Each structure stands twice: as C-alpha cells, then as structure tokens.
Amino acid sequence: MKATITICLRRVLGTALLLAPLLGYGQSRPATPGKAAVAVSAPSGLAVLSGRVSGPTTDSVAISVRENPLDPKEKLFRVPLNDKGEFKLSVPVSGPTKADFVYGDDVAPLFLDPGTDIDVRFKGNDMSGTLKFKANDVPTGFATKIRNRTNLTDEQRHRQQAANANNYLVEADAQFVENDGFQVLPDNIQLYEAPFLSFLEYRRKHQFEFLEDHAAKQSFTQEFYNYAHAEVVYAYANDKLTYQDLREQVVNTEGRLKMAPDYYNFLREPGLLNEPTAVQSELYHEFLINYVHFAVAQDKRQRSDPDFYPASYALASKKLNGSIRTIILGRVLQEAFRFGHVKQSAAMLTDFRNYDPKNQYYPTLQNDFNRHKDFAIGAPAPDFKLASATGDTVHLHDFVGKLVYINFWKTTNGLCLRDLAYAQELMRKFEGKNITFVNIALDENEGAWRQLVTVKKLPGVQVRVGGGGLRSKVAKEYALQEVPTYFLVGEDGTFLNTKPKRLSSRAAVDEINQSFGKASTYTSAIEFAPTKK
C-alpha cells in the first residue's frame, strides 16, 4: 500500500451511499447480536502498538493522526526500530480516533481508542500483504478462546476488539481499495446510468457482506462498527451523488447526462444528512460537502458567483446539526478562501464563532483566511518578468485589457502533458476573442522545454521561469504547491478565479465565456497594495 496510491483511492475515489429502508439512517446498529460491545476507556488515554518488522527496509515506524478535520497537517508519532526490528509506540487519544500506520512509503489505516494495546507484525518488504494485529495479554489458540470466551476481563475484551477492528481495516483495504474492480475509475464512470448504478449496488452488497461476516465472527466495539458501517453507506452515497458531474469531466465526447427523474430521490431519505454515529468517517464529510454544492447548484448558482459560498454556508447551517454542522461550515469557509471570495468569507468567518463555542476550529480558519487574502477575487495578480520561447520578455501587465488564463506546468508532469491537446483545442475556440493564454513552465531543463514548445508548436504565450521550479520567486508569489495550477485574471489585472476549470474540462469554455467583462463586478473587503511588481 504505497502512500500515494492508498490515500488517493481511499479518500478520493472510494466514495458512495445506501437507501434508507435498507440501511436504517439515523440509527446505530449493534456490533453483533448477543455480543454487545463493551466500552472501556483506559485512564491513561493511550493507544499502544508494539511489535516487530521482519527484514526491515527502513529504520522506524510511525502513526499519523489528524486531530483537526479542518487542518491538513497531521501529528506524527515516530519511533526507531531496535536491532531486532522491534518497536513500541504510545499515542495519546481522547476517544475513538482514525489514524494511519506509516512504514517508509507504505500506509495502512488504523482505528485507535483509549485502551488499545495490540501487537503488530509484518514483513519489511511487503507490509500490505503481511500486516497482522494481535491483542496483547489475551489468551490465544482455539481451545483457549472457547474456554475463556466468557472469562476475559473487560480490558482484555477491549484489546481483542481493537485487534479485530484493525485486521478488518487491512483486509477491507486489500479487498475493496487496492482492487480496481471496486473503484470508481474511468472505465465504469463512462457507463450510463443503469449499469453504473448496478456497479454501485454490486460493490455495496459485497462491502456489507464483508462487514457483517467479520462482525459475526469477531466482536467490534460499537464505535468501530458505526465507523465501518458509515464508510460503506457514504461511499455509495457520494459516488451516486457525484456521478453526473464526474462523468461530464471524464467523458469529453458526450454532453452532460440527463438523469432519471427519481435519480436524486435518495437525498431526501431521513437520517442521511445528520448521522451522529458517522462523524469519524471522512467519506461522510465528503458526501456532505458535495451535497451542499449540489443543492446550491440546483438554484442555478455557480462556484464563480459571489453568492455561491454564502448560499452554501446558509444551507449547511439550516440542514445540518451537531458537531458535523460545525465541521462542514468550516469546510465551506475554507473553499471560499481558496476560491478567492474573501469579501463574503470575512462575514461568514465572524458568524462561524457562534457554531464553535469551544474555539476548536476558529484559529485554524483564521490562519487559513490570512494565508489566502492575497488571492482574493479583486486582488491584483502578482506581476512577472519572464523570457518567452521566442526570446521576448513578457510581463503580466502587458495583457491589461484582456482576460488572461494562466497555466503553470512542467514538461515532466504527466497530467500537464495530458492537458496539452485540450489546451490547443481550447485556444482555437477562443481565437480572435479578448483573451490571452499564458503558459508558464517551471522546468529546470530549458532545452527540453524549448524543444517541446517548438516540436508541438504549442499555441499561446509560452514562457519559462528561469530556475527554482516550485521554489522560484514566481511560484512562491502565486503560492504554488503543484502543477498543473491555473488562474484566471480579469481585464484589470486582478484575480477573477483562482481555481478555474481545467483545460481538459468541457465546462472550461462556458466558464471563460461567462468571465468576460466581469472583473469590475467583484470587489473585496480587504485592502491591497496598489501594485505587485
């Protein structure tokens, strides 16, 4: 389970939902009939993992915990392996906690709570295929288990439940995340409505059978069962909800699908939006933020509209309750910051304090707001002075009076190269219009960049940052973290859209057409320096 693959699939592709009559929204379900989970909290508030790596390929192990769902930074607890490959790691936890076990580039999901005390074993060259968890200080062996099933102390039973939960996560990861047949990948996103729904139903059926089979054989805590159940429910829900939009982006040869009249009826099922037992599930969070976007879009609002995020904030305030409302309101605010709607965000951020009386999230949001002020709609885009492929010197202010679509890219990035064909087609569609496409390469190798531009006859303005790539002055001024990254600058030289549609998106044409002459309609509550040279 390489980190880049596992995190992407588990958090981005693995999204979905179940119908209420079948799932029982709003109800917690017993872990196993006749085996009610015993909630045991160790006074220490620690989760302990000890064990051994056979044939180590790196010198340490770590547990990564994301304490704040609105803060991308994770707290890392790392310990070195001894000369036998052994380790012991203690992590402070205040309650049921989703985490990751990290070994080199490999990542495996964890579920921890106070009282977790488990032994971890795996081979250094194959963590994903060999990872096993065993409860510490609990009798082993079939006969011993039968004899002592009713004789375990609460603490021993809890440790066994923790081991069961984490073994389940490893097996579920291998069965449903690492298996492309269960992922929403381009092959099945291209399906039409009926076969796509059949795929979702097939996956959901197998996921629930897998969960119930494990719950029947070995008990889980109620908290873990709720979490595992929610992962299945909201994976189905999210994939069903986002299918129409995702298919439009992936299938460039067709228009947007018209869905059956009852396709979105599942969104009205009782308990779907507010499920307090699902708060630990990131898929629940993703579903809710996508639901908010969907509901606001039904009122013909687009993300580039100044009132899109205030409408999203108002809808989440009305529809959601409890702790999940606070989290989703924070997510709405963060998107508003990143999409440049600072004027609207300032008022919403002040209101957010009413939903965060313990001040858990406000400091994080305030810092995020401050980081994005310079990229608000209406803020002046940083000027630059770069050499073009033809040897000319190009400044951003050369294009005042025109809409400017800026594309930061690299010749060594596969996603950037994939977009080249779409970029050429998009530029042809706007030939003769009042727009300039400026492509800024971050390549260290000038020769490779110049050769690609020449051989492919790339259109638009082609310039290159002299050196430093993502560490260069220009990259820092535009707060670049990756490529490709796009910006849409208005005719007055101010940011109009800091997250425009990708060059390959069918929606990019409509978005650009709607942007002409809009620069003067956007203002900001933030005071900016008159120029950024």
Side-chain angles (χ1 to χ4, degrees):
M1 283 172 283
K2 295 298 181 185
T4 53
I5 296 175
T6 303
I7 292 173
C8 173
L9 290 178
R10 189 185 317 133
R11 297 181 180 173
V12 181
L13 295 177
T15 40
L17 165 80
L18 283 107
L19 298 177
L22 178 62
L23 298 182
Y25 292 131
Q27 303 173 13
S28 61
R29 300 175 57 176
T32 309
K35 295 183 182 179
V38 178
V40 177
S41 296
S44 61
L46 290 177
V48 179
L49 282 79
S50 56
R52 182 178 180 181
V53 182
S54 301
T57 56
T58 189
D59 61 1
S60 64
V61 298
I63 293 176
S64 174
V65 179
R66 187 178 176 189
E67 296 180 316
N68 182 342
L70 300 182
D71 189 344
K73 294 191 294 293
E74 298 179 330
K75 181 175 287 187
L76 201 64
F77 300 87
R78 183 181 297 277
V79 293
L81 303 176
N82 67 16
D83 56 1
K84 296 180 181 179
E86 298 169 333
F87 65 90
K88 184 172 183 178
L89 184 56
S90 298
V91 179
V93 287
S94 57
T97 302
K98 179 68 175 64
D100 286 311
F101 186 78
V102 182
Y103 176 73
D105 291 333
D106 292 341
V107 177
L110 285 176
F111 194 88
L112 308 175
D113 59 13
T116 295
D117 188 353
I118 51 181
D119 180 80
V120 187
R121 303 287 169 124
F122 62 93
K123 294 180 180 179
N125 61 357
D126 183 21
M127 186 180 88
S128 62
T130 61
L131 185 61
K132 298 292 182 184
F133 297 91
K134 181 174 70 69
N136 283 319
D137 190 29
V138 174
T140 58
F142 181 75
T144 304
K145 286 182 180 178
I146 294 296
R147 184 172 61 252
N148 290 325
R149 178 167 296 188
T150 59
N151 296 328
L152 295 180
T153 65
D154 286 348
E155 289 77 12
Q156 288 175 323
R157 185 174 295 108
H158 186 75
R159 288 195 286 270
Q160 185 61 58
Q161 290 170 333
N164 293 343
N166 287 289
N167 281 321
Y168 168 86
L169 288 178
V170 171
E171 294 173 35
D173 224 41
Q175 182 78 12
F176 300 107
V177 176
E178 299 295 332
N179 184 346
D180 288 353
F182 287 105
Q183 293 300 327
V184 178
L185 297 170
D187 283 350
N188 48 47
I189 259 298
Q190 296 181 54
L191 296 172
Y192 289 99
E193 180 183 327
F196 180 75
L197 288 180
S198 294
F199 158 73
L200 289 186
E201 297 287 346
Y202 172 82
R203 184 184 67 183
R204 179 184 66 180
K205 174 178 178 290
H206 282 270
Q207 286 176 318
F208 267 111
E209 287 178 350
F210 188 82
L211 173 59
E212 297 302 337
D213 181 59
H214 281 68
K217 291 178 180 177
Q218 51 195 12
S219 63
F220 297 138
T221 63
Q222 185 69 63
E223 291 80 5
F224 177 76
Y225 184 88
N226 290 340
Y227 165 78
H229 187 268
E231 287 283 283
V232 179
V233 172
Y234 291 101
Y236 179 94
N238 204 33
D239 282 340
K240 188 170 183 178
L241 175 62
T242 59
Y243 163 67
Q244 188 181 24
D245 287 339
L246 187 57
R247 191 180 191 280
E248 183 181 21
Q249 296 175 33
V250 171
V251 184
N252 290 284
T253 57
E254 300 178 25
R256 184 176 178 85
L257 278 187
K258 185 176 180 180
M259 311 307 292
D262 62 348
Y263 181 85
Y264 291 107
N265 284 356
F266 72 96
L267 295 174
R268 295 196 289 269
E269 295 292 347
L272 174 62
L273 299 183
N274 291 288
E275 176 48 85
T277 65
V279 174
Q280 283 285 336
S281 171
E282 291 181 359
L283 294 181
Y284 178 44
H285 300 183
E286 291 305 311
F287 166 73
L288 289 178
I289 196 69
N290 286 325
Y291 167 78
V292 169
H293 293 163
F294 171 83
V296 172
Q298 297 307 293
D299 290 335
K300 308 302 181 185
R301 290 186 175 94
Q302 301 180 34
R303 293 202 191 195
S304 57
D305 294 341
D307 63 345
F308 181 87
Y309 290 102
S312 298
Y313 187 91
L315 186 142
S317 301
K318 179 181 178 181
K319 293 281 189 178
L320 304 179
N321 54 53
S323 61
I324 195 62
R325 174 170 59 185
T326 307
I327 292 170
I328 299 305
L329 289 176
R331 288 283 299 270
V332 170
L333 281 168
Q334 289 181 319
E335 288 192 347
F337 303 160
R338 288 162 191 167
F339 279 80
H341 294 271
V342 170
K343 179 181 180 181
Q344 298 82 357
S345 300
M348 290 188 291
L349 182 59
T350 299
D351 180 75
F352 179 82
R353 304 196 79 159
N354 296 319
Y355 298 98
D356 186 26
K358 295 182 180 179
N359 208 35
Q360 289 178 277
Y361 307 117
Y362 181 81
T364 298
L365 293 174
Q366 181 68 62
N367 290 337
D368 205 9
F369 176 81
N370 291 336
R371 284 198 304 272
H372 288 87
K373 280 196 292 190
D374 288 346
F375 295 91
I377 292 175
D383 202 357
F384 49 73
K385 179 181 178 181
L386 300 171
S388 73
T390 58
D392 300 324
T393 299
V394 175
H395 302 80
L396 178 60
H397 66 240
D398 295 338
F399 308 110
V400 169
K402 288 188 174 185
L403 205 61
V404 182
Y405 189 107
I406 300 177
N407 167 29
F408 285 97
W409 70 297
K410 290 183 72 172
T411 62
T412 55
N413 181 279
L415 202 53
C416 294
L417 295 176
R418 176 184 177 274
D419 273 2
L420 287 180
Y422 298 104
Q424 292 171 303
E425 180 183 352
L426 189 64
M427 291 180 206
R428 281 194 295 270
K429 289 181 178 179
F430 286 96
E431 192 171 351
K433 298 288 185 68
N434 192 39
I435 184 173
T436 297
F437 291 85
V438 178
N439 303 278
I440 303 177
L442 299 178
D443 287 82
E444 300 288 348
N445 189 330
E446 180 180 359
W449 163 73
R450 193 175 296 277
Q451 181 180 18
L452 183 63
V453 170
T454 303
V455 171
K456 295 290 186 180
K457 298 180 180 179
L458 299 182
V461 178
Q462 300 289 338
V463 296
R464 172 180 165 270
V465 173
L470 290 172
R471 299 181 303 278
S472 65
K473 179 183 177 183
V474 172
K476 289 180 179 178
E477 288 181 337
Y478 279 82
L480 301 184
Q481 296 182 347
E482 60 185 1
V483 290
T485 294
Y486 311 99
F487 294 91
L488 194 58
V489 177
E491 294 90 342
D492 61 355
T494 63
F495 285 118
L496 189 60
N497 192 337
T498 57
K499 300 284 185 182
K501 302 294 185 187
R502 296 175 54 81
L503 295 165
S504 56
S505 171
R506 292 174 58 88
V509 174
D510 291 339
E511 184 177 70
I512 291 172
N513 275 324
Q514 293 162 4
S515 298
F516 288 106
K518 288 288 185 69
S520 60
T521 66
Y522 291 95
T523 58
S524 173
I526 306 301
E527 301 238 343
F528 303 102
T531 59
K532 285 188 180 182
K533 300 286 184 177

